[in-house]
Amino acid sequence: MKFLAEINVMPQKEILDPQGKAVRIGLQNLDIHQVADVRIGKHIQLQLEASSEAEANEIVTNACKKLLANLIMEEFDFVLKTI
């Protein structure tokens, strides 16, 4: 079976996000004052083949834990879709 994993990697809430802070300040400089907070992360798409959804879930989780996310500073979530 073929799967598409839509992965979001974001800084943990306790971690400062200087890039997000810079964007928030930039928005204020553009007179967009309604935005209270900005967090910048990564969006990753993986296409993979696996024999089941459970196997695909395990593959994506391992990829995130071992390479795609720095678990000391980041958290991840993902959605699997059959393609």
Side-chain angles (χ1 to χ4, degrees):
M1 300 174 68
K2 292 184 180 184
F3 294 92
L4 174 66
E6 298 271 351
I7 305 164
N8 291 308
V9 180
M10 296 294 294
Q12 294 177 2
K13 290 175 180 56
E14 301 82 18
I15 302 293
L16 295 176
D17 184 1
Q19 189 176 13
K21 185 176 180 178
V23 169
R24 186 176 56 81
I25 291 169
L27 291 170
Q28 289 176 347
N29 291 338
L30 295 171
D31 290 326
I32 302 172
H33 299 285
Q34 298 85 350
V35 177
D37 192 27
V38 178
R39 305 289 286 176
I40 303 291
K42 299 179 277 191
H43 180 79
I44 303 162
Q45 292 183 334
L46 293 181
Q47 290 186 20
L48 63 141
E49 290 193 28
S51 59
S52 67
E53 186 172 341
E55 182 186 6
N57 192 7
E58 183 178 338
I59 292 168
V60 174
T61 299
N62 284 334
C64 290
K65 287 181 176 179
K66 293 180 179 179
L67 178 66
L68 301 177
N70 177 350
L71 298 180
I72 295 171
M73 299 175 15
E74 298 173 319
E75 53 193 25
F76 67 90
D77 62 32
F78 62 88
V79 176
L80 275 178
K81 300 175 186 175
T82 306
I83 54 173

